[in-house]
Amino acid sequence: MSNSDSIRPTNFVRDIIQKDVNDNVHGGKVITRFPPEPNGYLHVGHAKSICLNFGLAEEFGGQCNLRFDDTNPGKEEQEFVDSIKEDVQWLGFQWSGEVRYASDYFDTFYAWAIHLIKNGKAYVCDLSPEQASEYRGWATQPGKDSPFRDRSVEENLDLFERMKNGELDEGACVLRAKVDMTSPNMNMRDPILYRIRKESHHQTGGKWCIYPSYDFAHGQEDAIEEITHSICTLEFQDHRPLYDWFLDNLPVPSRPHQYEFGRLNLSYTITSKRKLKQLVDEKVVAGWDDPRMPTVHGMRRRGFTARGIRNFCDGLPVAKSGGVVDVAQFEAAVRDDLNENAPRAMCVLDPVKVVISNMEEGAVEQMTAPAHPQREMGTHTMPFTREIYIDRADFSEDSSLSRKKFKRLVLGEWVRLRSAYVIKADEVIRDASGELQEIRASLVPGTVGINPPEGIKPRGVIHWVSATEGKQATIRLYDRLFLNEAPDATDEGFLKYVNPESLKVLEGCWIEPGLIDAQPEQSFQFEREGYFVADRFDHSAEHPTFNKTIGLRDTWASKTN
RNA sequence: UGGGGUGUCGCCAAGCGGCAAGGCAACGGGUUUUGAUCCCGUCAUUCGCAGGUUCGAGUCCUGCCACCCCAGCCA
């Protein structure tokens, strides 16, 4: 196992749960939930929340529900419901029982609203949004009671029913809780419980034309599902008193508690559903599953493995401070998993032909190499022929290059072809324009798996693919989508910092022939190049297509610059 | 500004009055048929700032400063 796998630092949420379990609070049960709104695709920040909620439940032998917080039909779609379910499962988690929806509980919420009205704790307010904002007051300035605050229970009941029956227009009025217009916490200044929305809902269709607000829904959903620990992000801290207020004033079946942790921010990355949507809508990327997107769908297509993502999330401390995690830390977790689990293969991205003059034309010699240098993963076989390709960057005519600086093929010198022979570059052939066209080389016999004789010192090891037995492939090179480490934080707007070179499509790359049998989503390490994945949708034996997930760690590049 | 939070290495953080964990990054060195992996080593006399309490303070007290969140009929 990778070392990040075993490191799961404790955190304040786990400590609270541990204590509750020890003290037999909630009968020792642990029930958590992951409550996305289906208004977009899940991203890496949600992955942290998923790992936390599902992970904690798993750790304490509890359960975790998947519940869609679908209280705002205008922004939500079935497409997002489907993608979210797929993502959670892909990450390797299974929710407890059926998928749940806030909309499953709309009847109960409606009854509870009436309960509040009957207790004189809610009223229908006719103030326009602008007026309501005015009445709400400001930080230093307490709010004023709405003129509708003292309507009779009967009138409120009647009005609320008419709201439900669609007799009133959108925006005409709302149902508000009667809390405290002078509270320093703005959320307590008579928050909205229900608003009129004459829109079809992806789950309930046309059944409702009033929808509960987040505040009037979330805690009650938790209570209905008997959630013990309701874990959410920091921006909801101010809502906790309201969360508790509803639970205290409603006949709820259980008493959950809310705990908040810091949202994940990644450098060079945007994690705002609105902005991610903008990237899709403005066609900056090809879609929600573009491999450059930090969405779970995007990361999956990019070749970031579920295990790598989980290892990363599990290694993240859960704290109340909100910092920016270096994207390199994420990349390291993914690389770690891929290094451990991806079989090795060879691919030449920028081919230049090498003709081995002392090899017979038409001869094919099968070279066998382990699929992994350390782990037992079987072998792969690569045909070696008179004509092969190596990468253009792996050859130089400049023999003054020091051995330390250039550990590749130099004219007149030797290099090891990985898992095959040591060869010597004898001569170069150029085309009319002077461009290097072909290298003539000779192999040192008997050097497969055996060190060359005294006096022959290969400068290094390079990768290769047979020119006659290899296959052509399309390779898509991905790089960071943004050039600014905080694309979100700049005044000019994040679109200004889109990396124009975040995608390069290479046609005519050469892969070892066995690679055409790769299954979509199968990851490989192309030796000396990086980790690549067979594209989930576009790869086939006829048109091999690989996405670069991430490069190898390269300590050498930084030293020479 | 009122309220809610947060300030410990370049980044993320542990720390709960008794010698400042760990990960990422960086930098040295070793092994290596991947400039990868792996291994070994280096990397905070100091915890936002200033006072105070204490034998002893990152931890307790007081004051200040900085940053984030709320002020949607979004979640």
Side-chain angles (χ1 to χ4, degrees):
Chain A
M1 278 292 101
S2 60
N3 43 28
S4 61
D5 203 53
S6 53
I7 297 163
R8 191 183 281 204
T10 191
N11 60 65
F12 76 96
V13 179
R14 175 183 284 104
D15 294 345
I16 288 167
I17 295 180
Q18 184 63 260
K19 186 174 187 306
D20 285 350
V21 169
N22 293 346
D23 297 349
N24 207 39
V25 181
H26 310 291
K29 277 192 304 181
V30 174
I31 307 177
T32 58
R33 100 268 93 111
F34 173 61
E37 184 189 14
N39 67 344
Y41 279 67
L42 259 29
H43 57 62
V44 62
H46 296 110
K48 177 181 177 185
S49 176
I50 290 169
C51 291
L52 222 208
N53 278 295
F54 282 90
L56 250 15
E58 200 169 277
E59 188 180 335
F60 289 96
Q63 66 178 66
C64 181
N65 296 348
L66 172 61
R67 179 179 71 227
F68 289 97
D69 222 343
D70 54 349
T71 56
N72 188 10
K75 288 185 174 173
E76 301 159 6
E77 289 173 36
Q78 185 62 39
E79 177 196 351
F80 300 132
V81 169
D82 296 337
S83 73
I84 289 168
K85 289 198 279 191
E86 186 185 345
D87 286 345
V88 170
Q89 289 180 313
W90 178 73
L91 281 169
F93 297 106
Q94 187 55 55
W95 49 87
S96 170
E98 295 295 306
V99 168
R100 295 141 211 261
Y101 297 86
S103 52
D104 292 342
Y105 316 131
F106 280 177
D107 286 312
T108 306
F109 295 163
Y110 182 73
W112 282 346
I114 288 172
H115 176 93
L116 249 23
I117 292 173
K118 285 183 173 165
N119 287 327
K121 287 175 179 161
Y123 62 97
V124 174
C125 179
D126 300 354
L127 250 28
S128 70
E130 297 72 34
Q131 291 172 312
S133 171
E134 232 180 278
Y135 271 81
R136 195 157 29 235
W138 201 66
T140 47
Q141 182 192 349
K144 293 180 296 186
D145 284 359
S146 161
F148 305 99
R149 204 172 197 254
D150 295 317
R151 289 220 253 228
S152 69
V153 169
E154 292 66 36
E155 189 184 1
N156 279 320
L157 251 15
D158 174 59
L159 252 17
F160 186 48
E161 182 163 2
R162 288 169 58 194
M163 279 172 67
K164 185 196 74 165
N165 292 340
E167 294 168 35
L168 300 168
D169 292 335
E170 275 191 28
C173 55
V174 293
L175 183 72
R176 299 174 72 176
K178 203 182 281 184
V179 187
D180 179 8
M181 288 306 289
T182 66
S183 171
N185 181 346
M186 301 301 279
N187 294 298
M188 301 301 269
R189 320 250 260 226
D190 287 12
I192 286 170
L193 271 40
Y194 267 98
R195 66 284 211 215
I196 301 170
R197 280 290 132 79
K198 297 191 171 171
E199 283 180 89
S200 172
H201 185 283
H202 52 101
Q203 301 303 318
T204 59
K207 181 176 177 187
W208 297 91
C209 60
I210 54 170
Y211 291 93
S213 63
Y214 165 84
D215 288 309
F216 190 61
H218 207 95
Q220 290 90 301
E221 296 159 17
D222 287 342
I224 291 169
E225 294 177 12
E226 299 185 17
I227 300 301
T228 56
H229 303 265
S230 182
I231 304 163
C232 64
T233 42
L234 251 28
E235 66 269 28
F236 293 103
Q237 284 178 122
D238 286 347
H239 293 246
R240 192 175 350 114
L242 227 204
Y243 180 100
D244 291 334
W245 191 89
F246 287 125
L247 297 180
D248 288 341
N249 287 284
L250 258 12
V252 292
S254 79
R255 186 51 217 257
H257 288 274
Q258 174 182 301
Y259 304 95
E260 311 87 11
F261 72 97
R263 186 189 277 283
L264 167 66
N265 298 302
L266 266 189
S267 63
Y268 294 97
T269 308
I270 272 177
T271 46
S272 143
K273 278 192 195 173
R274 205 197 91 236
K275 288 174 182 167
L276 291 175
K277 186 172 187 306
Q278 201 178 334
L279 290 171
V280 173
D281 290 345
E282 296 184 20
K283 308 238 186 300
V284 176
V285 295
W288 287 99
D289 70 349
D290 186 296
R292 292 165 292 181
M293 290 284 272
T295 51
V296 175
H297 262 57
M299 295 190 290
R300 176 178 181 176
R301 198 151 176 207
R302 171 78 168 260
F304 292 161
T305 57
R307 185 171 32 210
I309 294 168
R310 277 212 267 165
N311 286 161
F312 168 67
C313 290
D314 288 342
L316 285 174
V318 178
K320 278 189 181 282
S321 52
V324 181
V325 175
D326 192 338
V327 73
Q329 193 160 336
F330 174 59
E331 293 172 344
V334 172
R335 208 178 263 131
D336 203 40
D337 177 50
L338 256 8
N339 172 54
E340 194 81 12
N341 298 298
R344 314 286 125 128
M346 291 208 265
C347 168
V348 175
L349 297 177
D350 183 14
V352 62
K353 188 177 281 184
V354 176
V355 178
I356 316 279
S357 50
N358 58 344
M359 187 157 179
E360 218 174 290
E361 204 143 348
V364 178
E365 205 175 319
Q366 298 296 340
M367 301 293 171
T368 301
H372 195 284
Q374 285 88 29
R375 294 183 59 190
E376 191 44 65
M377 286 180 63
T379 59
H380 61 130
T381 303
M382 297 158 293
F384 184 76
T385 53
R386 178 181 161 90
E387 296 191 353
I388 61 171
Y389 289 111
I390 65 168
D391 199 281
R392 214 162 265 276
D394 284 342
F395 176 73
S396 175
E397 294 176 54
D398 182 2
S399 57
S400 71
L401 250 21
S402 76
R403 294 181 66 88
K404 193 164 171 120
K405 259 204 146 153
F406 194 77
K407 302 164 89 161
R408 311 176 185 194
L409 183 60
V410 168
L411 187 59
E413 298 186 47
W414 292 272
V415 80
R416 156 74 66 184
L417 293 176
R418 171 122 245 235
S419 305
Y421 290 98
V422 170
I423 61 166
K424 180 186 184 196
D426 300 314
E427 183 186 349
V428 298
I429 311 286
R430 298 171 193 289
D431 62 17
S433 64
E435 187 79 2
L436 175 65
Q437 197 176 30
E438 182 181 305
I439 300 159
R440 293 285 165 85
S442 48
L443 63 77
V444 183
T447 50
V448 177
I450 294 165
N451 285 134
E454 198 68 26
I456 295 181
K457 277 203 159 44
R459 286 178 84 115
V461 183
I462 63 171
H463 55 103
W464 56 276
V465 168
S466 163
T468 44
E469 300 290 312
K471 306 289 180 186
Q472 281 196 285
T474 298
I475 307 283
R476 304 196 279 226
L477 263 23
Y478 292 100
D479 197 0
R480 289 175 183 162
L481 223 206
F482 294 100
L483 294 169
N484 189 295
E485 70 176 291
D488 238 347
T490 55
D491 292 337
E492 298 97 307
F494 67 104
L495 291 177
K496 271 239 162 82
Y497 297 100
V498 171
N499 179 4
E501 302 198 336
S502 59
L503 168 61
K504 280 186 206 155
V505 180
L506 267 33
E507 303 288 354
C509 303
W510 288 85
I511 54 175
E512 59 173 89
L515 243 19
I516 61 166
D517 296 326
Q519 295 305 301
E521 298 201 74
Q522 197 180 347
S523 291
F524 297 90
Q525 185 199 99
F526 291 166
E527 297 207 41
R528 302 209 312 128
E529 293 290 358
Y531 298 98
F532 294 74
V533 68
D535 189 83
R536 189 179 171 194
F537 302 116
D538 301 332
H539 174 80
S540 68
E542 294 71 39
H543 301 286
T545 305
F546 293 86
N547 300 332
K548 181 171 183 175
T549 305
I550 189 156
L552 258 24
R553 191 161 156 266
D554 190 354
T555 49
W556 167 77
S558 60
K559 282 177 196 169
T560 49
N561 290 338

